[in-house]
Amino acid sequence: MNSALASALANHPAENPQAMDVAHATLIASLIGAAKPARVLELGVGSAYLTRVLLAAVADNGVGKLTSVDNFVDWQGKRPPHIAALAAENPDWELVERDETEFVRTAAAGQFDFIVSDGDHVHGYQNAPDVFRIARAGATLAFHDTHNPLFHILSRLPARCRQLGFPAAHFCAKSRPEEKTDRGLLIVWKDRERGFSLDLNTRVYLRLRDRLPPALKSWLRGRADARATGATSGGN
């Protein structure tokens, strides 16, 4: 581990309760160091703590490129100053300012070797089929907040991966009060070229929800978005 990566990991924003725990960020950096991915995708930037770790991990490998996607809804859709500064420091970093759901739905299949999903937790599970689709066979996927009670649909992801037979490890243990590892980090390996599908209960739930009157759907979406924003603002 070079000094830049060690510094990025140590520079954890302790004042931000939603930033990924250092232990989970260290695990992701170690996996990148072991796998040597050519193309790394980060869904969700937030405070950019993990972004800095990913940039340093890719640089430490000497190969690879990071693409990050965020529409910066927590900053009214405008690139915040800390992101502008980070982009200026890293000219090779590809920052896509776009809604994550739109990005994964339209991205070409099989183009990423390593994907970290830590942005839109409200739609994280629903987006999983497309996240798996744009990952190449043999890719590593990391999903954060998979054991967080605020995101009850996303928390279905670990069990669904096991049902579908994807090799996976779910890290959600906690041994110290200050740790946030209990929010959950799911590591999945797309061991061969195959897709991910939502479970039947979720598909039925989403279908019924889509048939609700527009006014009620808008009200429910607003509540969910407000809850998610309050829980994840400035995370990653």
Side-chain angles (χ1 to χ4, degrees), residues 16-109:
N16 186 339
Q18 302 307 326
M20 180 180 288
D21 192 89
V22 174
H24 286 169
T26 302
L27 174 58
I28 290 173
S30 297
L31 288 170
I32 289 176
K36 312 297 182 189
R39 295 204 63 187
V40 179
L41 174 65
E42 177 191 28
L43 297 171
V45 177
S47 72
Y49 166 65
L50 183 62
T51 307
R52 291 182 180 276
V53 170
L54 295 175
L55 286 167
V58 170
D60 195 28
N61 280 343
V63 295
K65 179 179 180 178
L66 174 65
T67 298
S68 301
V69 181
D70 202 312
N71 61 0
F72 301 115
V73 67
D74 296 337
W75 289 271
Q76 292 75 49
K78 298 179 181 179
R79 183 183 294 194
H82 71 284
I83 299 300
L86 185 61
E89 296 167 9
N90 297 272
D92 294 331
W93 175 38
E94 182 182 12
L95 176 59
V96 180
E97 297 184 45
R98 190 178 178 189
D99 178 78
E100 298 153 37
T101 297
E102 293 179 0
F103 178 87
V104 298
R105 284 180 179 172
T106 58

Side-chain angles (χ1 to χ4, degrees), residues 21 40 70 100 144 156 171 176 216 221:
D21 192 89
V40 179
D70 202 312
E100 298 153 37
H144 189 225
R156 300 179 185 184
F171 300 94
R176 298 192 303 272
L216 182 55
R221 187 179 299 113

Side-chain angles (χ1 to χ4, degrees), residues 110-211:
Q111 62 173 308
F112 294 104
D113 308 288
F114 199 107
I115 300 177
V116 182
S117 177
D118 190 23
D120 186 352
H121 296 87
V122 174
H123 303 99
Y125 181 61
Q126 298 93 307
N127 289 342
D130 281 316
V131 173
F132 275 79
R133 181 185 59 80
I134 64 177
R136 70 164 180 82
T140 302
L141 296 85
F143 298 88
H144 189 225
D145 273 315
T146 47
H147 193 247
N148 191 328
L150 287 172
F151 310 113
H152 66 283
I153 296 182
L154 180 60
S155 65
R156 300 179 185 184
L157 187 57
R160 184 56 175 167
C161 286
R162 290 193 296 269
Q163 289 173 354
L164 295 173
F166 286 102
H170 194 205
F171 300 94
C172 52
K174 178 177 179 175
S175 60
R176 298 192 303 272
E178 68 274 16
E179 285 184 320
K180 294 172 286 187
T181 49
D182 55 332
R183 288 164 53 187
L185 180 68
L186 177 68
I187 305 295
V188 188
W189 289 271
K190 185 180 175 180
D191 54 335
R192 56 187 184 275
E193 194 56 62
R194 55 174 170 153
F196 178 94
S197 61
L198 302 181
D199 64 277
L200 178 60
N201 288 341
T202 299
R203 294 201 305 270
V204 171
Y205 165 75
L206 293 174
R207 188 171 300 174
L208 291 174
R209 190 187 65 181
D210 288 343
R211 293 179 179 177

Side-chain angles (χ1 to χ4, degrees), residues 220-234:
L220 290 172
R221 187 179 299 113
R223 283 175 57 88
D225 289 346
R227 186 172 149 193
T229 299
T232 62
S233 178

